[in-house]
């Protein structure tokens, strides 16, 4: 498929907060040197208004390098604002530690379209290794997270919110890959989509990805080609894995996102399209994640697969290029 420029990002990651209650071993947040603060509601609404005006089918993710559900019901007020403004695709990714009754109801009332819960483990022991809590006494472990997910699924059935896509995510590392089959089979039995993805090294902030860095046999990176990321202060950075903002293309408090996407970030995309990788800024040139904006979905039934695929394809040009061809082959429980 021939890659082309788009007039607006098809996925937009917005950092409502950089605060988090887990210290995940695979996350670039631990080594970030930039401030970890919260975006003002006014700035978020400014972003939403531009997306609604320019590209309402852009998928908005109100989370970047933090746990947005720490904001409590304020988060869902902002999601409701986005939906009322006309955004067609709002996706929230969470670690699942804040699935209280109050938050679950606020989530269901917000109009959220897609809810991703990243667990990355199927046993409390492994979860504590890959996603250790910052304050153990104040944060759910895996058993509490699973209980919250089941509570959510029950309320979805009770309230007839079958339109809400719920997705359980498992990112694979050496420390957890032995549990991926059990994780997939368990959650497929609960009737939800499961997504498995390769490890992300957060543009090199996480050690171990050096073997992926190459300027030969390299392809244009989908992180750059169809996605943009905005930090809490309005900085538009290279892409959603530039967690420390090592390249800032502009700031939405000064100019519209559409201008930044069609200006400095367009040139970054052009360098990728022309395969002039040696001319990229260092954070992009030396990034090990250029081919890992990919994942593999597993579906419990054909009906949910059709619903999920329709959602993903809405407003997307390159959905098929985001599939992870080397995903694990799961042995279903008999």
């Amino acid at each position: 498929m021939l890659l082309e420029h788009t007039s607006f990002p098809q996925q937009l990651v917005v950092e409502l907060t950089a605060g988090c209650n887990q210290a995940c071993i695979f996350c670039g947040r631990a080594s970030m040197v930039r401030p970890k603060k919260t975006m003002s509601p006014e700035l978020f609404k400014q972003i939403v208004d531009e997306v609604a005006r320019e590209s309402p089918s852009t998928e908005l993710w109100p989370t970047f390098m933090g746990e947005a559900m720490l904001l409590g019901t304020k988060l869902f007020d902002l999601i409701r604002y986005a939906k009322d403004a006309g955004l067609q695709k709002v996706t929230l990714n969470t670690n699942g530690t804040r699935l209280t009754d109050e938050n679950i109801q606020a989530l269901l009332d917000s109009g959220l379209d897609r809810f991703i819960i990243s667990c990355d483990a199927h046993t409390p022991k492994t979860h504590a290794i890959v996603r250790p809590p910052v304050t153990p006494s104040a944060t759910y472990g895996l058993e509490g997270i699973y209980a919250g997910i089941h509570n959510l699924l029950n309320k979805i059935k009770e309230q007839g919110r079958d339109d809400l896509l719920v997705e359980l995510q498992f990112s694979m590392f050496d420390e957890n890959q032995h549990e991926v089959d059990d994780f997939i089979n368990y959650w497929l039995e609960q009737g939800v989509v499961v997504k498995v993805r390769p490890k992300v090294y957060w543009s090199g902030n996480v050690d171990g990805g050096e073997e992926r860095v190459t300027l030969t046999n390299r392809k244009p990176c989908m992180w750059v080609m169809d996605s943009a990321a905005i930090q809490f202060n309005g900085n538009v950075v290279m892409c959603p894995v530039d967690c420390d903002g090592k390249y800032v293309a502009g700031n939405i408090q000064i100019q519209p996102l559409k201008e930044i996407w069609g200006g400095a970030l367009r040139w970054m995309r052009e360098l990728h399209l022309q395969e002039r990788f040696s001319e990229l800024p260092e954070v992009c040139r030396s990034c090990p994640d250029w081919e890992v904006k990919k994942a593999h979905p597993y579906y419990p039934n054909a009906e949910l697969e059709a619903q999920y695929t329709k959602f993903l394809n809405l407003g997307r040009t390159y959905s098929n290029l985001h599939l992870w061809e080397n995903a694990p082959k799961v042995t279903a429980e008999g």
Side-chain angles (χ1 to χ4, degrees):
M1 177 181 290
L2 180 65
L3 294 173
E4 299 177 343
H5 291 287
T6 59
S7 62
F8 203 78
Q10 296 180 355
Q11 283 188 318
L12 180 59
V13 175
V14 178
E15 188 174 69
L16 272 178
T17 183
C20 193
N21 58 347
Q22 290 184 334
C24 304
I25 63 172
F26 49 82
C27 183
R29 184 180 179 279
S31 58
M32 280 174 18
V33 297
R34 67 177 177 89
K36 302 178 179 70
K37 297 184 178 181
T38 298
M39 179 178 285
S40 71
E42 293 75 21
L43 187 56
F44 179 78
K45 291 178 180 179
Q46 175 187 324
I47 296 168
V48 165
D49 291 345
E50 183 176 356
V51 175
R53 183 173 62 251
E54 300 291 347
S55 178
S57 64
T58 287
E59 187 174 11
L60 179 72
W61 297 58
T63 183
F64 185 11
M65 297 309 297
E67 174 48 60
M69 287 190 70
L70 293 178
L71 299 177
T73 57
K74 294 178 182 179
L75 165 66
F76 301 107
D77 291 341
L78 294 174
I79 290 174
R80 182 75 266 171
Y81 180 88
K83 292 301 298 179
D84 288 346
L87 270 63
Q88 300 171 21
K89 300 172 69 175
V90 181
T91 294
L92 178 63
N93 194 337
T94 179
N95 60 28
T97 60
R98 287 294 185 269
L99 286 174
T100 63
D101 285 338
E102 182 181 23
N103 281 339
I104 287 173
Q105 192 56 55
L107 182 156
L108 294 174
D109 292 340
S110 70
L112 182 70
D113 298 294
R114 181 184 179 199
F115 189 49
I116 304 173
I117 307 162
S118 298
C119 295
D120 307 321
H122 191 55
T123 65
K125 179 180 179 181
T126 299
H127 187 265
I129 293 172
V130 299
R131 286 182 167 270
V134 174
T135 307
S137 62
T139 305
Y140 287 157
L142 188 63
E143 292 176 344
I145 293 170
Y146 273 26
I149 297 170
H150 283 293
N151 188 19
L152 169 66
L153 296 178
N154 288 334
K155 289 184 181 298
I156 287 174
K157 292 179 181 178
E158 292 170 1
Q159 299 180 30
R161 279 298 315 275
D162 292 341
D163 58 308
L164 173 61
L165 290 168
V166 178
E167 180 180 314
L168 271 291
Q169 180 166 276
F170 192 107
S171 297
M172 291 185 63
F173 326 109
D174 293 341
E175 295 85 352
N176 68 357
Q177 60 185 0
H178 61 286
E179 295 184 358
V180 66
D181 279 26
D182 289 341
F183 181 87
I184 295 171
N185 281 312
Y186 178 81
W187 285 110
L188 288 179
E189 288 178 1
Q190 314 310 311
V192 298
V193 176
V194 178
K195 183 173 72 178
V196 177
R197 60 172 307 119
K199 183 175 182 177
V200 176
Y201 291 91
W202 295 102
S203 67
N205 272 34
V206 176
D207 293 336
E210 293 80 7
E211 75 283 355
R212 291 182 177 174
V213 179
T214 177
L215 296 181
T216 59
N217 300 317
R218 188 167 177 171
K219 303 173 184 177
C221 175
M222 294 310 299
W223 292 112
V224 172
M225 291 304 301
D226 70 358
S227 304
I230 304 176
Q231 295 176 345
F232 74 90
N233 60 358
N235 280 347
V236 180
V237 298
M238 173 64 73
C239 74
V241 296
D242 182 11
C243 58
D244 221 2
K246 295 176 182 177
Y247 174 84
V248 178
N251 188 290
I252 59 163
Q253 298 190 71
I254 299 173
Q255 63 185 134
L257 175 61
K258 187 174 184 178
E259 289 184 8
I260 299 170
W261 181 254
L265 289 182
R266 181 183 175 90
W267 179 237
M268 295 300 106
R269 299 195 301 281
E270 187 63 28
L271 290 175
H272 275 258
L273 290 172
Q274 295 185 26
E275 299 185 1
R276 293 161 59 183
F277 302 115
S278 64
E279 299 177 43
L280 290 164
E282 173 64 19
V283 65
C284 191
R285 184 172 68 250
S286 63
C287 179
D289 297 322
W290 60 275
E291 203 176 19
V292 298
K293 195 191 179 188
K294 296 182 178 182
H296 187 82
Y298 300 83
Y299 303 103
N301 55 62
E303 181 180 359
L304 193 53
E305 179 178 2
Q307 180 186 356
Y308 187 88
T309 303
K310 180 180 179 181
F311 174 85
L312 291 183
N313 288 341
L314 177 64
R316 295 294 294 279
T317 308
Y318 309 117
S319 293
N320 62 318
L321 297 182
H322 293 81
L323 296 176
W324 185 23
E325 296 177 354
N326 297 321
K329 301 296 187 291
V330 177
T331 302
E333 295 178 346

